[in-house]
Amino acid sequence: MITIKTPKQIAKMKKSGEVTKGAFEAVEKAIRPGVTTKYLDKIAYDYIISKGAKPNFLNYDGFPGTICASVNDEVVHGIPSDKIVLKEGDIISVDMGAVLDGWHSDAARTYAVGKISSEAQQLIDVTKQSFFEGIKYVKHGAKLGDVSHAIQEYAESFGYGVVRDLVGHGIGTSLHEDPNVPNFGKAGHGLRLAAGMVLAIEPMITEGTWKVSVLDDDWTIVTDDGKLAAHYENTLAVTKDGYELLTL
């Protein structure tokens, strides 16, 4: 069931989003060659707790981290570990969120570790821009397929893959709510957006194939061809004339 949030509820979600935004700023400052993904996880945990919120990924369906830390060909759901040490030239996708006063926020970013290749940087940049291409179509009365199609069309114009097995979602008092928000689709199709919907839109884009697999840890999702993947996400509220970003 899709829930419509009131302006007061959206204001509470924005406060949750501000915690998530601050956690990303803290984590970004710490990303460099030689640090572990577990170290980044602790930074995020400590920041979120310091703001009176809780990490909403931690123990969600048994997930053991505050952040999903996905390196290079890992698309999403990478488990933070003391054994994973970032190297010069890596890219790392960080996905996390907070719950504050019962309201969730969710976002993702992909970062360079030291100096990276121009090809890796382009993938990061295109993934981020595909999000902004999609949300140009977000407003009351618009079709969700227009958003999804714009993301897909932009990413595929660079020859990239758009992951099909993982999608964005509604969000509110639960981390994952209806509707699903694909990063691919047909323009003019899909459900009609309404003011008060709150969505987590999250393109997951790959250098090669869009096909992915789950590793033996039952969490980490990787590209089938071993090529790089990037991830960008924000929580936003649909408004009469467009949208309000809650995690940026």
Side-chain angles (χ1 to χ4, degrees), residues 89-108:
D90 285 342
I91 64 173
I92 178 170
S93 296
V94 178
D95 188 4
M96 66 173 153
V99 56
L100 180 67
D101 295 330
W103 292 94
H104 289 261
S105 54
D106 189 6

Side-chain angles (χ1 to χ4, degrees), residues 177-192:
E177 298 183 354
D178 291 332
N180 285 336
V181 184
N183 300 305
F184 57 94
K186 293 183 178 180
H189 288 67
L191 67 87
R192 197 172 294 279

Side-chain angles (χ1 to χ4, degrees), residues 81-148:
S81 172
D82 286 325
K83 296 180 181 179
I84 301 174
V85 182
L86 298 180
K87 308 185 305 295
E88 185 89 14
D90 285 342
I91 64 173
I92 178 170
S93 296
V94 178
D95 188 4
M96 66 173 153
V99 56
L100 180 67
D101 295 330
W103 292 94
H104 289 261
S105 54
D106 189 6
R109 308 281 187 265
T110 301
Y111 299 110
V113 181
K115 185 178 181 180
I116 63 174
S117 69
S118 58
E119 291 84 2
Q121 187 61 58
Q122 179 178 275
L123 177 65
I124 292 173
D125 294 343
V126 169
T127 301
K128 179 178 179 178
Q129 186 58 36
S130 72
F131 169 88
F132 288 100
E133 293 297 320
I135 67 173
K136 289 177 181 178
Y137 295 89
V138 173
K139 65 177 181 179
H140 179 81
K143 289 292 187 73
L144 182 57
D146 291 337
V147 180
S148 302

Side-chain angles (χ1 to χ4, degrees), residues 192-235:
R192 197 172 294 279
L193 300 178
M197 286 183 181
V198 181
L199 308 174
I201 299 175
E202 51 179 321
M204 285 160 272
I205 308 301
T206 63
E207 271 192 316
T209 181
W210 57 264
K211 295 181 180 179
V212 297
S213 298
V214 183
L215 296 184
D216 291 341
D217 63 14
D218 292 330
W219 279 107
T220 308
I221 295 175
V222 299
T223 59
D224 278 1
D225 57 10
K227 293 186 177 181
L228 297 178
H231 188 190
Y232 188 84
E233 175 186 17
N234 282 302
T235 300

Side-chain angles (χ1 to χ4, degrees), residues 155-176:
E156 289 183 347
S157 73
F158 290 84
Y160 294 148
V162 179
V163 174
R164 306 292 202 274
D165 295 356
L166 303 155
V167 298
H169 51 91
I171 184 169
T173 54
S174 297
L175 177 57
H176 293 100

